[in-house]
Amino acid sequence: MEHSFVEAMDRARLDRLMGAAVMGMVISFTCVTPEELDRAEKDPEWAREFLWEVDELRPDNPDADLDKAWAGLEFLLGKAGESLEFLMDGYPVDDEGTLFSWSVEDVQALAKRLGALPWERLATHYDPVRMTEEEVYPNIWDPEDEDASEYLKGNYETLVSFFDAAARLESAALMSFSF
């Protein structure tokens, strides 16, 4: 079956936007109790196993999968004067740099900051040309493509909702960085 050039371009754009689901650097957050956070900090292997099981243990447990949008969100937050570095602001739990803890106080402080920062303020800093020039991961930024901005917006809303829910529950968080 023959595909037109336009169909091929649309497929290439979709592949660029979504990336390979099994490859790439992704960040996710999971709500944990302060006691679970303490145990995770003392035993990273327990934390890894717990993250695989938490959905079964607590089906309604708040979590947030930012996929590959994290670096784009860092870019927008920095330009909006609300700097956030996911891999620097959390406390490293393991030597591999794949698990980070966020205390109850960290969660509440970030929830407050994010709650006061509407997407519309971040959106004014969306600059696909500059993001491409600065090699902001995952390098999908195309001035002609509105989907990348929507991808960031959806993930920002996920991030805000997660920290709001975790703060209301007076919970801590574990952040997982997969690469």
Side-chain angles (χ1 to χ4, degrees):
M1 177 157 110
E2 247 180 75
H3 295 285
S4 73
F5 176 74
V6 172
E7 288 172 325
M9 290 301 292
D10 285 345
R11 181 68 190 160
R13 183 176 72 156
L14 179 62
D15 288 345
R16 233 184 21 256
L17 273 176
M18 301 315 290
V22 292
M23 300 188 75
M25 297 182 287
V26 298
I27 284 180
S28 60
F29 286 92
T30 302
C31 194
V32 296
T33 67
E35 295 78 22
E36 290 164 341
L37 186 67
D38 185 51
R39 184 169 181 190
E41 289 173 340
K42 292 175 183 168
D43 186 355
E45 275 310 308
W46 175 86
R48 282 189 220 2
E49 290 176 27
F50 177 76
L51 289 175
W52 280 105
E53 299 169 353
V54 70
D55 287 340
E56 286 182 31
L57 298 171
R58 293 192 304 253
D60 295 332
N61 195 59
D63 62 4
D65 180 0
L66 300 182
D67 191 47
K68 299 173 189 86
W70 61 273
L73 294 175
E74 282 183 349
F75 176 88
L76 296 178
L77 287 161
K79 297 301 178 195
E82 290 292 335
S83 181
L84 172 63
E85 293 185 48
F86 293 107
L87 300 177
M88 301 302 287
D89 290 345
Y91 176 79
V93 171
D94 63 357
D95 294 333
E96 294 85 24
T98 61
L99 290 174
F100 297 82
S101 67
W102 294 63
S103 69
V104 172
E105 296 78 19
D106 293 337
V107 166
Q108 290 178 342
L110 187 53
K112 187 175 182 178
R113 283 178 50 206
L114 294 175
L117 184 60
W119 167 253
E120 292 73 23
R121 186 167 150 214
L122 292 183
T124 64
H125 299 285
Y126 179 70
D127 183 346
V129 172
R130 187 166 182 189
M131 292 170 78
T132 299
E133 288 170 357
E134 293 186 24
E135 298 179 0
V136 174
Y137 183 78
N139 199 24
I140 60 168
W141 321 115
D142 179 352
E144 305 289 320
D145 189 353
E146 294 177 20
D147 291 339
S149 177
E150 288 299 312
Y151 173 68
L152 290 173
K153 178 183 180 185
N155 280 285
Y156 182 69
E157 290 169 349
T158 296
L159 182 68
V160 171
S161 293
F162 170 79
F163 275 93
D164 178 61
R168 280 187 284 107
L169 293 170
E170 297 182 0
S171 292
L174 276 174
M175 186 189 86
S176 174
F177 176 63
S178 302
F179 54 94

